[in-house]
Amino acid sequence: MIAAAVLGSPISHSLSPLLHNTAYQFLEIEASYKAFDVPSGRLRDFLSGDGADLNSLSLTMPLKEEALSIADSVSAVSMQIHSGNTLHKVDGHWSLTSTDVEGFSHALAFNGKDARGKVLIIGAGATARAVVAACDGVSDTVSIINRTPDREQALRKSGPDLDIEFLSWTSSIDFSDYDLVVNTTPGDTASIFVDQIKSVESTFFEVLYNPFPTQLLNTWRKTGGLGIDGLELLIHQAISQMEIFSGQTIERDAMAKMLRAVGEKALT
């Protein structure tokens, strides 16, 4: 039986229990999936206490980096981006990986897009590193708007074959110069760039679904560009987790459409 949960802090807004439980019920897989608020520095204590009976975990902030020191084995992709969102117990040992990278790529493909061309990423945290890894070997160039210079090395390691340019938070941005713009910052942090969005024809990917939609995403859509919201990323990284937890291959497009309807209903 899959005994699963999503861990992070805060966690009350998470749609992961709804999406996972809906999918397992539809697939007739015996499973339970809950949510636990686990703050930074408490992951190990949780796994030996309240979470001792769990065998499948989704991780959100602030635990994606902390999990590296917990896992018995770490996948190559998690090593590359120094982050993991998926802990799965095999023979009593925790295995860590990240489905954020492939989830991002699948979400783009589901909307008929990819990461080719010029990409702009807003933010420089764990999700930004996952996006960089997804762009590696695909994009022509990647520009990153970064407030924290000491994160630059980790971002370069996430995309070793990429031509990466770093921009300051106060930069004047011509969004029409990019084929794909990705916001990875929390809340409405990136709303300071709203006034710089004029007429656009390219794609904007908002990785957040809380708030839903963000001010930046709303503005992008109103000015003519395609906007992909964070619910898509949540769904596609979750489907990849479901395959890991269950050991089954899931028909992705059909599952994504069903979970999209369920997620939209919960958010509106």
Side-chain angles (χ1 to χ4, degrees):
M1 175 180 173
I2 298 172
V6 59
L7 313 181
S9 186
I11 203 65
S12 60
H13 70 282
S14 179
L15 289 181
S16 292
L18 173 65
L19 299 183
H20 276 259
N21 286 321
T22 298
Y24 297 136
Q25 183 176 5
F26 176 79
L27 295 170
E28 298 183 341
I29 294 173
E30 187 179 2
S32 67
Y33 190 107
K34 302 176 182 178
F36 292 93
D37 193 293
V38 179
S40 178
R42 298 302 302 273
L43 179 57
R44 187 179 297 275
D45 290 341
F46 174 81
L47 293 180
S48 62
D50 292 344
D53 294 331
L54 299 173
N55 54 39
S56 303
L57 299 173
S58 306
L59 305 176
T60 186
M61 299 305 293
L63 304 176
K64 291 185 177 184
E65 295 176 6
E66 186 175 335
L68 292 165
S69 64
I70 302 295
D72 299 295
S73 63
V74 180
S75 71
V77 68
S78 279
M79 292 291 289
Q80 179 180 341
I81 66 175
H82 197 69
S83 173
N85 75 332
T86 307
L87 271 173
H88 181 50
K89 187 174 283 188
V90 180
D91 296 328
H93 299 285
W94 286 111
S95 176
L96 178 70
T97 192
S98 174
T99 63
D100 284 333
V101 179
E102 67 176 72
F104 176 77
S105 297
H106 280 302
L108 277 176
F110 188 73
N111 286 273
K113 299 295 180 180
D114 56 39
R116 286 180 293 184
K118 297 180 65 177
V119 179
L120 174 68
I121 301 171
I122 305 173
T127 305
R129 296 197 299 272
V131 174
V132 168
C135 292
D136 199 28
V138 180
S139 307
D140 294 332
T141 63
V142 171
S143 300
I144 301 174
I145 300 177
N146 177 24
R147 293 178 293 180
T148 314
D150 61 6
R151 292 181 174 180
E152 292 182 6
Q153 184 178 4
L155 287 159
R156 290 194 187 280
K157 288 182 178 179
S158 298
D161 296 324
L162 278 176
D163 178 12
I164 299 178
E165 170 193 27
F166 291 96
L167 306 174
S168 73
W169 196 251
T170 57
S171 297
S172 178
I173 307 298
D174 182 0
F175 286 103
S176 64
D177 193 38
Y178 298 93
D179 300 291
L180 173 65
V181 177
V182 186
N183 177 41
T184 68
T185 60
D188 270 320
T189 303
S191 62
I192 63 168
F193 297 109
V194 165
D195 292 340
Q196 298 184 47
I197 301 174
K198 306 304 179 183
S199 178
V200 291
E201 297 180 356
S202 52
T203 302
F204 178 79
F205 196 128
E206 174 61 78
V207 306
L208 305 175
Y209 65 91
N210 182 34
F212 182 83
T214 60
Q215 185 179 357
L216 207 60
L217 179 57
N218 262 336
T219 303
W220 194 274
R221 287 170 170 168
K222 288 177 181 178
T223 53
L226 171 67
I228 302 173
D229 57 58
L231 182 56
E232 293 284 358
L233 178 58
L234 178 68
I235 288 170
H236 283 279
Q237 62 83 24
I239 292 173
S240 294
Q241 287 183 335
M242 293 168 195
E243 291 186 328
I244 292 171
F245 297 163
S246 68
Q248 297 185 17
T249 299
I250 296 173
E251 206 294 298
R252 181 173 292 271
D253 283 0
M255 180 62 71
K257 290 175 183 177
M258 180 181 72
L259 295 181
R260 176 79 198 183
V262 171
E264 283 184 345
K265 183 177 180 180
L267 289 171
T268 56

